[in-house]
Coordinates of all heavy atoms in Angstrom, one line a residue:
W81 N 21.3 183.5 83.1 CA 21.0 184.0 84.5 C 22.2 184.8 85.0 O 23.3 184.6 84.6 CB 20.7 182.8 85.4 CG 19.4 182.1 85.2 CD1 19.1 181.4 84.1 CD2 18.2 182.2 86.0 NE1 17.8 180.9 84.2 CE2 17.2 181.4 85.3 CE3 17.9 182.8 87.2 CZ2 16.0 181.2 85.9 CZ3 16.6 182.7 87.8 CH2 15.6 181.9 87.1
G82 N 21.9 185.6 86.1 CA 23.1 186.3 86.7 C 24.2 185.4 87.1 O 23.9 184.3 87.6
D83 N 25.4 186.0 87.0 CA 26.6 185.2 87.3 C 26.7 184.8 88.7 O 27.6 184.1 89.1 CB 27.9 185.8 86.7 CG 28.2 187.2 87.4 OD1 27.4 187.6 88.3 OD2 29.2 187.8 86.9
R84 N 25.9 185.3 89.6 CA 26.0 184.9 91.1 C 25.0 183.8 91.4 O 24.8 183.3 92.5 CB 25.7 186.1 92.0 CG 26.9 187.1 91.8 CD 26.7 188.3 92.7 NE 27.7 189.2 92.3 CZ 28.4 190.0 93.1 NH1 28.1 189.9 94.4 NH2 29.3 190.9 92.7
D85 N 24.2 183.4 90.3 CA 23.2 182.3 90.6 C 23.9 181.0 90.6 O 25.1 181.0 90.4 CB 22.1 182.3 89.4 CG 21.2 183.5 89.5 OD1 20.7 183.7 90.6 OD2 21.0 184.2 88.5
S86 N 23.2 180.0 91.0 CA 23.8 178.6 91.1 C 22.7 177.6 90.5 O 21.6 178.0 90.2 CB 24.0 178.3 92.5 OG 22.7 178.1 93.2
A87 N 23.2 176.4 90.2 CA 22.3 175.5 89.6 C 21.1 175.2 90.5 O 20.0 175.1 90.0 CB 23.1 174.1 89.4
T88 N 21.3 175.1 91.8 CA 20.2 174.9 92.7 C 19.3 176.1 92.7 O 18.0 176.0 92.9 CB 20.7 174.5 94.2 OG1 21.6 175.6 94.6 CG2 21.4 173.2 94.2
G89 N 19.9 177.3 92.7 CA 19.0 178.5 92.7 C 18.1 178.6 91.5 O 17.0 178.9 91.6
V90 N 18.8 178.3 90.3 CA 18.1 178.4 89.1 C 16.9 177.3 89.0 O 15.9 177.5 88.5 CB 19.0 178.3 87.9 CG1 18.3 178.1 86.5 CG2 19.9 179.6 87.8
A91 N 17.3 176.1 89.5 CA 16.4 175.0 89.5 C 15.0 175.4 90.3 O 14.0 174.8 89.8 CB 17.0 173.8 90.2
Q92 N 15.1 176.2 91.2 CA 13.9 176.6 92.0 C 12.8 177.3 91.1 O 11.7 177.3 91.4 CB 14.3 177.5 93.1 CG 15.0 176.8 94.2 CD 15.5 177.7 95.4 OE1 15.1 178.9 95.4 NE2 16.3 177.2 96.2
A93 N 13.4 177.7 89.9 CA 12.3 178.4 88.9 C 11.7 177.4 88.0 O 10.8 177.8 87.2 CB 13.2 179.5 88.1
Y94 N 12.1 176.2 88.1 CA 11.5 175.2 87.2 C 10.8 174.0 88.0 O 11.3 173.7 89.0 CB 12.7 174.6 86.3 CG 13.3 175.7 85.5 CD1 14.4 176.4 85.8 CD2 12.7 176.0 84.2 CE1 14.9 177.4 85.0 CE2 13.2 177.0 83.4 CZ 14.4 177.6 83.8 OH 14.8 178.6 83.0
A95 N 9.8 173.5 87.3 CA 9.0 172.4 87.9 C 9.8 171.2 88.0 O 10.7 170.9 87.2 CB 7.7 172.2 87.1
H96 N 9.4 170.3 88.9 CA 10.0 168.9 89.1 C 11.4 168.8 89.4 O 12.1 167.9 89.2 CB 9.7 168.1 87.8 CG 8.3 168.2 87.4 ND1 7.2 167.7 88.2 CD2 7.7 168.7 86.3 CE1 6.1 167.9 87.6 NE2 6.4 168.5 86.4
T97 N 12.0 170.0 90.0 CA 13.4 170.0 90.4 C 13.6 170.0 91.9 O 14.8 169.9 92.4 CB 14.3 171.1 89.8 OG1 13.7 172.3 90.1 CG2 14.3 171.0 88.2
D98 N 12.5 170.0 92.7 CA 12.6 170.1 94.1 C 13.3 168.8 94.6 O 13.1 167.7 94.1 CB 11.2 170.1 94.7 CG 10.5 171.5 94.3 OD1 11.2 172.4 94.0 OD2 9.3 171.5 94.4
D99 N 14.2 169.1 95.6 CA 15.0 168.0 96.2 C 15.8 167.2 95.2 O 16.0 165.9 95.3 CB 14.0 167.0 97.0 CG 13.3 167.7 98.1 OD1 13.9 168.5 98.8 OD2 12.0 167.5 98.3
G100 N 16.3 167.8 94.2 CA 17.1 167.2 93.2 C 18.5 166.8 93.8 O 19.0 167.4 94.8
T101 N 19.1 165.8 93.1 CA 20.5 165.5 93.4 C 21.4 166.5 92.8 O 21.5 166.9 91.7 CB 20.7 164.1 92.8 OG1 19.8 163.2 93.3 CG2 22.1 163.6 93.2
L102 N 22.4 167.0 93.7 CA 23.4 168.0 93.2 C 24.7 167.2 93.0 O 25.1 166.3 93.7 CB 23.6 169.0 94.4 CG 24.5 170.2 94.1 CD1 24.1 171.0 93.0 CD2 24.7 171.0 95.4
S103 N 25.3 167.5 91.8 CA 26.6 166.9 91.4 C 27.7 167.4 92.4 O 27.5 168.5 93.0 CB 26.9 167.2 90.0 OG 27.1 168.6 89.8
E104 N 28.7 166.7 92.4 CA 29.9 167.0 93.3 C 30.4 168.3 93.0 O 30.9 169.1 93.9 CB 31.0 166.0 93.1 CG 31.5 165.4 94.4 CD 32.5 164.2 94.2 OE1 33.7 164.6 94.0 OE2 32.0 163.1 94.2
D105 N 30.5 168.7 91.6 CA 31.1 170.0 91.3 C 30.1 171.2 91.4 O 30.3 172.3 91.1 CB 31.7 170.0 89.9 CG 30.7 169.7 88.8 OD1 29.5 169.5 89.1 OD2 31.1 169.6 87.6
E106 N 28.8 170.8 91.8 CA 27.7 171.7 92.0 C 27.3 172.5 90.7 O 26.6 173.5 90.8 CB 28.0 172.8 93.2 CG 28.3 172.1 94.4 CD 28.5 173.1 95.6 OE1 28.5 174.3 95.3 OE2 28.7 172.6 96.8
R107 N 27.6 171.9 89.6 CA 27.1 172.5 88.3 C 25.8 171.9 87.9 O 25.1 172.5 87.0 CB 28.2 172.2 87.2 CG 29.4 173.0 87.2 CD 30.3 172.8 86.1 NE 29.7 172.9 84.8 CZ 30.1 172.2 83.7 NH1 31.1 171.5 83.8 NH2 29.5 172.4 82.6
F108 N 25.4 170.8 88.4 CA 24.2 170.2 87.9 C 23.3 169.7 89.1 O 23.8 169.3 90.1 CB 24.6 168.9 87.1 CG 25.5 169.1 86.0 CD1 26.8 168.9 86.1 CD2 24.9 169.5 84.8 CE1 27.7 169.1 84.9 CE2 25.8 169.7 83.7 CZ 27.1 169.5 83.8
V109 N 22.0 169.8 88.9 CA 21.0 169.3 89.8 C 19.8 168.6 89.0 O 19.5 169.2 88.0 CB 20.5 170.5 90.8 CG1 19.8 171.6 90.0 CG2 19.6 169.9 91.9
H110 N 19.5 167.5 89.5 CA 18.5 166.8 88.7 C 17.6 165.9 89.5 O 18.0 165.5 90.6 CB 19.1 165.9 87.5 CG 19.8 164.8 88.0 ND1 21.1 164.7 88.6 CD2 19.4 163.5 88.1 CE1 21.4 163.5 89.1 NE2 20.4 162.7 88.8
T111 N 16.4 165.6 89.0 CA 15.5 164.6 89.5 C 15.3 163.6 88.4 O 16.0 163.6 87.4 CB 14.2 165.2 89.9 OG1 13.5 165.8 88.8 CG2 14.4 166.3 90.9
G112 N 14.2 162.8 88.6 CA 13.9 161.9 87.5 C 13.1 162.5 86.4 O 12.9 161.8 85.3
R113 N 12.7 163.7 86.5 CA 11.8 164.4 85.5 C 12.5 165.7 85.0 O 12.0 166.2 83.9 CB 10.5 164.7 86.1 CG 9.8 163.5 86.5 CD 8.3 163.7 86.9 NE 7.6 164.4 85.8 CZ 6.5 165.0 86.0 NH1 5.9 165.1 87.2 NH2 5.8 165.6 85.0
A114 N 13.4 166.3 85.6 CA 14.0 167.5 85.2 C 15.5 167.8 85.7 O 15.9 167.0 86.7 CB 13.1 168.7 85.6
G115 N 16.1 168.7 85.2 CA 17.4 169.1 85.7 C 17.9 170.4 85.2 O 17.4 170.9 84.1
V116 N 18.9 170.9 85.8 CA 19.4 172.3 85.5 C 21.0 172.1 85.6 O 21.5 171.4 86.5 CB 19.1 173.3 86.4 CG1 19.8 174.6 86.2 CG2 17.6 173.6 86.4
G117 N 21.7 172.7 84.5 CA 23.1 172.5 84.5 C 23.7 173.9 84.2 O 23.2 174.5 83.3
R118 N 24.8 174.3 84.8 CA 25.5 175.5 84.6 C 26.6 175.3 83.6 O 27.4 174.3 83.8 CB 26.0 176.1 85.8 CG 26.8 177.5 85.6 CD 27.2 178.2 86.9 NE 27.8 177.3 87.9 CZ 29.0 176.8 88.0 NH1 29.8 177.1 87.0 NH2 29.4 176.0 88.8
T119 N 26.7 176.0 82.5 CA 27.8 175.9 81.6 C 29.2 176.4 82.3 O 29.1 177.1 83.2 CB 27.6 176.7 80.3 OG1 27.4 178.1 80.6 CG2 26.4 176.1 79.6
V120 N 30.2 176.1 81.6 CA 31.6 176.4 82.1 C 31.6 178.0 82.2 O 31.0 178.7 81.3 CB 32.7 175.9 81.4 CG1 32.8 174.4 81.7 CG2 32.6 176.1 79.9
S121 N 32.6 178.5 82.9 CA 32.7 180.0 83.0 C 33.2 180.7 81.8 O 32.9 181.9 81.6 CB 33.6 180.4 84.2 OG 34.8 179.8 84.1
S122 N 33.8 179.9 80.9 CA 34.3 180.5 79.7 C 33.2 180.7 78.6 O 33.4 181.2 77.5 CB 35.4 179.6 79.1 OG 34.9 178.3 78.8
C123 N 32.0 180.2 79.0 CA 30.8 180.3 78.1 C 30.3 181.8 78.2 O 29.6 182.1 79.2 CB 29.8 179.4 78.4 SG 28.2 179.5 77.3
E124 N 30.8 182.7 77.4 CA 30.4 184.1 77.5 C 30.1 184.6 76.2 O 30.8 184.3 75.1 CB 31.5 184.8 78.0 CG 31.9 184.5 79.5 CD 33.1 185.3 79.9 OE1 33.8 186.0 79.2 OE2 33.4 185.3 81.2
V125 N 29.1 185.5 76.1 CA 28.8 186.2 74.8 C 28.5 187.7 75.2 O 28.1 188.0 76.3 CB 27.5 185.6 74.2 CG1 27.8 184.2 73.6 CG2 26.3 185.6 75.0
S126 N 28.8 188.6 74.2 CA 28.7 190.0 74.5 C 27.2 190.4 74.8 O 27.0 191.4 75.6 CB 29.3 190.7 73.4 OG 28.6 190.5 72.2
E127 N 26.3 189.7 74.2 CA 24.8 190.0 74.5 C 24.4 189.8 75.9 O 23.4 190.4 76.3 CB 24.0 189.2 73.5 CG 24.2 189.4 72.1 CD 25.2 188.4 71.5 OE1 26.4 188.5 71.8 OE2 24.7 187.5 70.7
H128 N 25.1 189.0 76.7 CA 24.8 188.7 78.0 C 25.9 188.9 79.0 O 26.4 187.9 79.6 CB 24.2 187.3 78.1 CG 23.0 187.1 77.2 ND1 21.8 187.6 77.6 CD2 22.8 186.6 76.0 CE1 20.9 187.3 76.6 NE2 21.5 186.7 75.7

Side-chain angles (χ1 to χ4, degrees):
W81 286 74
D83 63 2
R84 293 178 190 223
D85 288 311
S86 66
T88 53
V90 171
Q92 292 175 8
Y94 296 94
H96 311 297
T97 57
D98 295 341
D99 300 319
T101 302
L102 184 63
S103 64
E104 231 176 84
D105 62 4
E106 299 185 357
R107 284 183 56 204
F108 303 95
V109 61
H110 73 281
T111 65
R113 297 189 57 197
V116 172
R118 181 176 40 82
T119 59
V120 291
S121 59
S122 60
C123 180
E124 295 177 347
V125 295
S126 59
E127 298 93 291
H128 300 283

